[in-house]
Amino acid sequence: MSYSQNDEERIILQYFDSPGRLLDIGAYDGRTFSNSLALLERGWHGVLVEASPRVFTHLMTNTAHVSVDLVNACIVPDELDLVTFYDNMGAVATMNDANHERWKERAEFIPITLMTTNVSRLLKRFGTSYDMVNIDVEGGSVDLFEALVPRMPEVRMWIVEHDGMMDRCKQLMQGWDVAYSNGENIIFTR
């Protein structure tokens, strides 16, 4: 059984031959479309971040059998703020207004106000040493990616939902291999 949305899991499992540590920002329920769960079930330790308070309860249940630190927070690149988060039980919850507009005819959203925390606070609490980082935050992934890459030199694999900005991602990762890409995600490896 594959958890990932497309074929990412196959690439991930072929690349890594021993357990490590991962960071997953936008982990959703920990199972659906997960690029992390297969690794966690193979002995990895992870930090899983999910902004939606309603989905977070499912994340806790779905990852009770693996070694994880769970974070219920809305992560942003820089300043702390109160934001409108368009929550839903599907995999398209977002604080990005353009993403909300794109999906509002097909998904039911409940606007809630969330306090954000920034990447500096997240990394201060959980460290910067990871083998794999997955970022999937519906409309904000590339901004987080740009904020995280310079602070995390040990990462061996980055998986980013590119939101149509694949060229911007590739520019940042010059010298890295593109191990896989599709209409949604790009995987960079060393």
Side-chain angles (χ1 to χ4, degrees):
M1 174 182 171
S2 177
Y3 299 112
S4 63
Q5 187 171 9
N6 297 297
D7 199 28
E8 298 92 350
E9 187 174 300
R10 179 182 59 81
I11 304 301
I12 295 164
L13 294 178
Q14 286 176 354
Y15 184 77
F16 292 109
D17 56 6
S18 61
R21 187 165 184 246
L22 64 87
L23 172 64
D24 190 338
I25 302 175
Y28 187 51
D29 68 6
R31 179 175 295 274
T32 306
F33 304 144
S34 177
N35 290 329
S36 299
L37 189 54
L39 292 174
L40 294 168
E41 290 179 338
R42 287 165 174 78
W44 282 56
H45 176 77
V47 177
L48 306 183
V49 181
E50 175 53 44
S52 170
R54 296 187 305 155
V55 172
F56 190 77
T57 60
H58 299 284
L59 177 63
M60 291 184 335
T61 300
N62 290 339
T63 59
H65 67 291
V66 294
S67 178
V68 292
D69 290 307
L70 300 176
V71 180
N72 187 196
C74 187
I75 308 296
V76 294
D78 43 39
E79 75 243 23
L80 304 178
D81 201 357
L82 287 171
V83 296
T84 299
F85 183 79
Y86 301 99
D87 199 8
N88 77 347
M89 295 304 286
V92 292
T94 185
M95 67 176 213
N96 181 284
D97 290 329
N99 260 36
H100 172 249
E101 285 298 315
R102 189 175 98 204
W103 286 98
K104 73 180 184 181
E105 299 300 321
R106 294 176 273 175
E108 183 179 330
F109 292 95
I110 297 173
I112 60 175
T113 301
L114 290 181
M115 183 70 193
T116 64
T117 191
N118 61 28
V119 295
S120 294
R121 286 180 183 225
L122 178 71
L123 298 178
K124 181 178 181 182
R125 171 67 174 89
F126 294 101
T128 61
S129 182
Y130 297 92
D131 297 287
M132 192 268 285
V133 176
N134 185 74
I135 307 170
D136 183 352
V137 294
E138 307 308 319
S141 300
V142 176
D143 291 336
L144 282 179
F145 181 49
E146 289 178 333
L148 288 168
V149 166
R151 298 173 183 183
M152 303 176 76
E154 296 175 30
V155 174
R156 296 171 44 210
M157 176 182 282
W158 291 90
I159 305 169
V160 183
E161 183 179 68
H162 57 73
D163 299 316
M165 295 179 266
M166 195 180 310
D167 289 341
R168 189 169 146 196
C169 294
K170 288 179 180 178
Q171 181 68 28
L172 177 65
M173 300 302 283
Q174 290 182 14
W176 286 66
D177 295 324
V178 175
Y180 178 80
S181 66
N182 59 43
E184 294 166 303
N185 296 312
I186 187 166
I187 299 176
F188 294 100
T189 57
R190 290 186 196 253

